[in-house]
Amino acid sequence: MRRYLRLLRASLRLSLLLAMQYRWDFIGHGLMQLVWTSLGVLPLWIAYQARAAAGLSALGGYSFPQALTVFGFFTLLKALLDGAINPSLTAVVEHIRTGTLDFILLKPADAQFLVSTARQEPWRIIDAATGIGFVVFGMAGHIHQGGAPPGLGALLGAGLLLLCAMLLLYSIWILVICAAFYVVRIDNLSFLFTSLFDFARWPRSVFRGALHVLFTFVVPLVLMTSYPAEALLGLLRPPQLLLAVVWTGLLLCLCRLAWRRSLAAYTSASS
Amino acid sequence: MEIRRNLRAYPTLLRIGIAEAVAYRAELIVWMLTTTLPLVSMVLWRAVAAEGPIGPERFSAGDFTAYFLLALLVRLLTSSWVLWEMNREIRTGIMSQRLLRPVHPLVAYSAENLAATPLRALLVLPVSLLLLYLYGRSEITKDPLLVGAFVLSLPGAWALTFLSMVLCGCLAFYIESSLGIFHLWYTTYVLCSGYLVPLSLLPGPVRALAEVLPFRYMLDFPVRLLLGLPGLQGSAAHAAVLSHLVVEYAYVAGLLIAVALLWRAGLRRYAAFGA
Amino acid sequence: MASSGPIISVERMSKHYRVHQRSAGLLSALGSLVSRRHDIKRAVEEISFAISPGERVGFLGPNGAGKTTTLKVLAGLLHPTSGSVQVAGFVPQRREARFLQQITLVMGQKQQLLWDLPPADTFQLNRAVYDVPQAVFNDTLAELDRLLGLSAISRIPTRQLSLGERMKCELAAALLHRPRVLFLDEPTIGLDVSMQVTLREFVRRYNERFGATVLLTSHYMDDVAALCPRVIVIDRGTLRYDGDLPGLVRSIRPHKRVTLRLGGTPCDQGRAEDQLRRVGELLSWDGTQAVLQIGKDQLREGVAHLLGVLPVLDLTVEDPPLEEVMRDLFERSAP
């Protein structure tokens, strides 16, 4: 365990060094990130603005501050996606394409761990902070409008669900990597997932019917952002919490299984 | 001389491009899945407008359906990925190989991009036309002049997409590791082309910006033509169509000049610093 | 671990691949979704050998012979289709951490160094990955620096290093955990001759210094000749020779190559040529210099005869060049 922490530290250090190699990215990203992330709230704002202008009430039962809380969790997870997951994915796909994955498989540490911690983009921490800011802002607005402040149970529930959300994101991404073992030119899969993930910024009540099922179970965006936000707002019921936890566990098992299978296929088939 | 040589090579480039598109069909399909995002936007905005029409143009749920289905269609017919390609090839030095060939790299890029269109159309047209027929029929214009203008606007929309991407791509000559460049382009595109929401719903300043930038002609304008230019009637609509088409192709010409200049300057720098 | 037994043993090991057959085009792509045709490619077919600790062994064979496949099986990157493989007391394909700790694989065509950072940073990463204590790490690095001269280059970003410098650092990165078994796959590919000699010399000294076992494949016969007392030849997946290099040469080309420089007048040329042809196969002849190929058994007799009848100024006896021997070997095995 300590050994893996050390490994993580070594990898973080390298990522920091790498990030500083490309100065423009380091400075530019940091600053631009703030602007882009704030712009991300725009669709939400437009929708609420337009509805208010047309004399319509809250969207699908969510007030604007509540929707903002969901958006905060979205920004937080997006920071994880862009800051740790996508860079590593890109690195692994490159390894598979060029055959240097062999070097990773030869290392005396768990290959999945090495692959998962391959690369980070440290400046994304700004995004994460912005996300937390939105959560706090949304909660403040919620309380201001007469909502109950979160109790200990709500905080714990939200924390647990946030952890689930991160693990869900991680599992999906491992599954994407597994796909990369079979279809090599797959750079755009990450782009596809990033674009899909954009819909997680909306409160779940926006999605109806089949789309709601799709985003709850197949691409569990709803579990990732709406659930933790609802837990914090005191709207989530225990069975839903259980669902999120169970589903996270299932997906984690699935991704570990898929990883093993892909690796076995890789080592028994490729040349 | 140069131009004629490039023109002569073009049919062959296109043919090879089509063969390549077929070879990398898995990749193409993932790309196309990416571009089906308007379908999700559609569901979303239908929910926003479920209880009644919203926005300055009073978009109803039905309007949003037609809007986003058309947006999907236009995006698939006019999209390009030259920015990714350029970015990668400049950074890895593959660009040098391209420069050795007697065909201008930008000509080759355009052929590669255009060549993917038939296969994409083959895969996407039936589905989107069917959806359009089922759900958005009543919102689509029956004015033959507008339909004609739509067809005319498409090549311009493609050219603008392609040229604006090349323009951004040229930045890769100057900035190391420029994945940010793609995000710059994409975010502006998403916001200012009407891909995210119809332009009329954007807040004042952003909307003002979007109306000045060429991005609106890549998506919003063609879509609006088929929607019968909401807000305009009869001869006023026809006059607006003409002026918009002129502006669209003026933008194409302007971008062409800008690309030529920036490309040349970028190459000088590329040659000086190498790859 | 008992030091007396072999450190690598391979018994009747085979590796077959399934390759999908598909012709170009959209229709056949659709067709392949329904039914796929497979072909079995036999990369390695029932090879057996054993290598003792500290040996340096060269793997020879033409492209596609199965050399890299064998190395990858030994390193645990590929599962053998059948047969058994043991390296340092482990079954490689299980990829146990304790096994991986003892081996290393260097591939001349691929690199593990981080492209945008100096090699020193990759060294640090490997220190963490292999869990090498700082003191041991410093010692090893100092030793490698002494042998390879790294200090001047290990602080420069990898992308700015020359191929040779990069290969030095690749080797260093691969050896920081002091592996007992080295798999080197074309480590000198693309390098100039002096750099080849440097690396070759380094591998030999490393082997002597640490008693590590070395298994090497190379396109350059000189590498193998200079480095490996023992060679294993595989061709199209099957083992064709296992033994020392002179033995290989003897078995393929039981000839010696005799170069003679003759004095005397031009009018004797015709007669001289007759005499030369009588003794062996005349490979080249320009009137003063002749290259003859003579069977080993006839060598003494033939040379003595020529010295008697011809005005010989100079005479050398050599083995045929290694490259020729190999060409001979692989041409002979071709169908």
Side-chain angles (χ1 to χ4, degrees), chain C residues 62-129:
Chain C
N63 284 332
K67 291 175 305 209
T68 303
T69 303
T70 309
L71 275 197
K72 282 189 168 185
V73 169
L74 290 177
L77 288 173
L78 292 174
H79 295 212
T81 310
S82 65
S84 76
V85 177
Q86 277 221 335
V87 175
F90 294 92
V91 176
Q93 66 188 81
R94 293 198 193 126
R95 300 198 308 108
E96 288 160 81
R98 285 196 304 138
F99 164 70
L100 296 173
Q101 199 84 47
Q102 302 195 34
I103 64 154
T104 200
L105 172 66
V106 175
M107 293 180 269
Q109 322 237 36
K110 297 174 185 173
Q111 60 159 8
Q112 66 162 327
L113 295 174
L114 296 161
W115 185 245
D116 287 318
L117 292 178
D121 288 313
T122 306
F123 298 164
Q124 283 293 339
L125 180 68
N126 276 5
R127 186 182 82 77
V129 169

Side-chain angles (χ1 to χ4, degrees), chain C residues 149-170:
Chain C
L150 294 175
S151 51
I153 50 177
S154 67
R155 304 249 156 236
I156 302 171
T158 306
R159 61 166 189 269
Q160 290 166 13
L161 296 177
S162 75
L163 187 61
E165 292 169 332
R166 219 157 70 205
M167 208 55 223
K168 280 183 178 179
C169 294
E170 278 290 331

Side-chain angles (χ1 to χ4, degrees), chain A residues 17-98:
Chain A
L17 287 173
L18 260 176
M20 294 196 287
Q21 283 279 314
Y22 291 113
R23 266 171 313 157
W24 195 89
D25 271 21
F26 197 67
I27 302 163
H29 268 284
L31 290 177
M32 267 172 54
Q33 219 47 58
L34 213 59
V35 179
W36 289 143
T37 312
S38 311
L39 272 181
V41 81
L42 207 61
L44 210 65
W45 189 76
I46 293 170
Y48 275 88
Q49 230 23 40
R51 284 176 64 89
L56 297 168
S57 62
L59 176 57
Y62 276 78
S63 69
F64 187 60
Q66 288 173 335
L68 218 52
T69 312
V70 175
F71 178 74
F73 277 103
F74 163 75
T75 310
L76 193 58
L77 286 169
K78 176 105 167 121
L80 180 73
L81 183 69
D82 290 339
I85 292 186
N86 269 342
S88 296
L89 174 85
T90 318
V92 177
V93 170
E94 195 61 19
H95 278 315
I96 295 175
R97 208 174 56 75
T98 57

Side-chain angles (χ1 to χ4, degrees), chain B:
Chain B
M1 196 54 203
E2 266 310 292
I3 293 173
R4 270 184 47 203
R5 182 214 292 279
N6 280 325
L7 280 181
R8 258 207 317 279
Y10 214 75
T12 317
L13 289 176
L14 276 180
R15 213 167 43 241
I16 292 169
I18 290 175
E20 254 181 354
V22 173
Y24 291 122
R25 55 199 162 264
E27 201 186 31
L28 197 71
I29 287 170
V30 174
W31 250 112
M32 285 172 40
L33 280 176
T34 321
T35 38
T36 52
L37 291 175
L39 290 181
V40 188
S41 286
M42 177 184 87
V43 176
L44 219 135
W45 285 96
R46 280 177 64 90
V48 175
E51 295 103 323
I54 58 162
E57 291 176 329
R58 316 283 306 151
F59 262 50
S60 68
D63 290 329
F64 277 116
T65 310
Y67 181 89
F68 283 111
L69 284 178
L70 285 174
L72 172 69
L73 191 71
V74 173
R75 170 101 168 112
L76 283 171
L77 289 178
T78 62
S79 75
S80 165
W81 63 92
V82 64
L83 183 47
W84 282 21
E85 213 68 355
M86 274 182 76
N87 193 359
R88 193 172 60 82
E89 295 189 357
I90 291 173
R91 282 198 308 140
T92 54
I94 297 177
M95 183 59 85
S96 311
Q97 293 166 29
R98 262 190 204 271
L99 288 170
L100 288 178
R101 290 184 213 143
V103 174
H104 195 287
L106 292 182
V107 173
Y109 279 134
S110 76
E112 281 165 27
N113 278 238
L114 270 183
T117 314
L119 186 67
R120 210 176 353 209
L122 194 74
L123 292 166
V124 84
L125 268 182
V127 180
S128 47
L129 286 181
L130 182 71
L131 282 175
L132 213 53
Y133 179 77
L134 288 177
Y135 300 109
R137 199 173 5 161
S138 53
E139 273 77 20
I140 294 203
T141 184
K142 290 171 189 68
D143 186 340
L145 198 82
L146 291 184
V147 176
F150 169 76
V151 175
L152 273 182
S153 73
L154 283 183
W158 178 82
L160 282 175
T161 312
F162 179 79
L163 290 173
S164 64
M165 277 190 157
V166 171
L167 206 60
C168 280
C170 284
L171 291 180
F173 285 124
Y174 298 91
I175 302 166
E176 274 191 273
S177 168
S178 48
L179 273 174
I181 292 175
F182 177 74
H183 280 276
L184 182 71
W185 184 91
Y186 186 70
T187 312
T188 322
Y189 173 84
V190 161
L191 207 61
C192 298
S193 72
Y195 192 56
L196 185 70
V197 290
L199 290 185
S200 60
L201 281 170
L202 290 175
V206 185
R207 186 179 175 181
L209 181 73
E211 278 173 358
V212 184
L213 291 177
F215 288 88
R216 60 184 302 201
Y217 292 104
M218 298 177 198
L219 191 90
D220 178 82
F221 176 55
V223 167
R224 237 159 236 284
L225 281 174
L226 273 198
L227 286 178
L229 287 177
L232 293 174
Q233 298 293 324
S235 59
H238 290 172
V241 167
L242 193 66
S243 65
H244 274 308
L245 273 178
V246 169
V247 174
E248 181 180 356
Y249 281 94
Y251 264 127
V252 172
L255 276 182
L256 205 57
I257 293 166
V259 160
L261 290 177
L262 199 64
W263 173 262
R264 199 166 294 179
L267 267 195
R268 258 205 303 279
R269 197 187 148 85
Y270 186 70
F273 290 87

